[in-house]
Amino acid sequence: MKGQGDSLPEVLHAFFDTPLFEEVSNLFQGENRILHYLYQEKRNDVTPSELSEQLHVTRARVTAAVKELLKKGYVCSIRPSNDRRRVYLSLTPCGKGYILSRIQSVQSCIETLQKGLGETDMTEIVRLMVRAFRIFETATV
């Protein structure tokens, strides 16, 4: 980083390239994103279609990720006896332990940021991020 004169793209590039940001962003991507969703839902009847819809990813991507998560033993699939076409997904104890460790790691990263910024700056960065999110939410590319 050069200093105060850095442009936003340069700052974002440097920020996104840090190990702490990588740790945080990994929770919200790919397989971890699915595990996080299943952990938050705390249900045993989440379908691949629901994952696709709620996470805004294609059914093919969900299918590929779920296949890997099944291989790793992080999720299990259940077919109800009354409808063998349906598949329900849930976390295994191993999957729950894994995603909890990822969540705790992200919490540690956030605490590091809070400690470094202080309460006032942390409040301000959250305020600005919410504002940026609202702009991006309605913008088109």
Side-chain angles (χ1 to χ4, degrees):
M1 296 267 310
K2 294 182 231 164
Q4 294 293 339
D6 292 323
S7 70
L8 182 58
E10 290 169 330
V11 171
L12 287 173
H13 177 69
F15 183 72
F16 293 156
D17 205 27
T18 64
L20 286 179
F21 181 81
E22 184 177 347
E23 183 68 25
V24 172
S25 67
N26 281 340
L27 180 63
F28 304 108
Q29 295 180 37
E31 294 172 9
N32 286 343
R33 190 170 178 207
I34 290 172
L35 292 172
H36 189 256
Y37 182 84
L38 292 172
Y39 176 75
Q40 286 184 311
E41 286 300 304
K42 297 183 185 346
R43 299 181 359 238
N44 293 328
D45 64 348
V46 176
T47 65
S49 295
E50 177 183 343
L51 287 172
S52 176
E53 183 180 312
Q54 293 299 314
L55 301 179
H56 307 288
V57 294
T58 66
R59 180 68 194 267
R61 286 187 112 168
V62 167
T63 300
V66 166
K67 185 177 177 181
E68 288 301 311
L69 291 169
L70 287 164
K71 271 199 256 183
K72 292 176 181 177
Y74 290 168
V75 298
C76 62
S77 62
I78 302 148
R79 290 190 186 274
S81 57
N82 62 341
D83 186 354
R84 304 298 292 163
R85 294 170 298 162
R86 293 191 76 68
V87 174
Y88 297 122
L89 302 169
S90 64
L91 285 176
T92 64
C94 183
K96 184 176 180 179
Y98 172 79
I99 199 62
L100 277 174
S101 73
R102 302 283 26 101
I103 290 168
Q104 289 167 349
S105 181
V106 166
Q107 186 58 42
S108 177
C109 292
I110 291 169
E111 288 168 7
T112 298
L113 184 61
Q114 285 176 312
K115 189 175 183 181
L117 287 175
E119 188 176 333
T120 302
D121 285 346
M122 190 65 179
T123 300
E124 182 65 5
I125 201 167
V126 169
R127 184 188 71 75
L128 290 170
M129 289 178 81
V130 167
R131 189 171 170 203
F133 170 75
R134 288 188 178 135
I135 293 167
F136 279 4
E137 191 176 40
T138 58
T140 58
V141 179

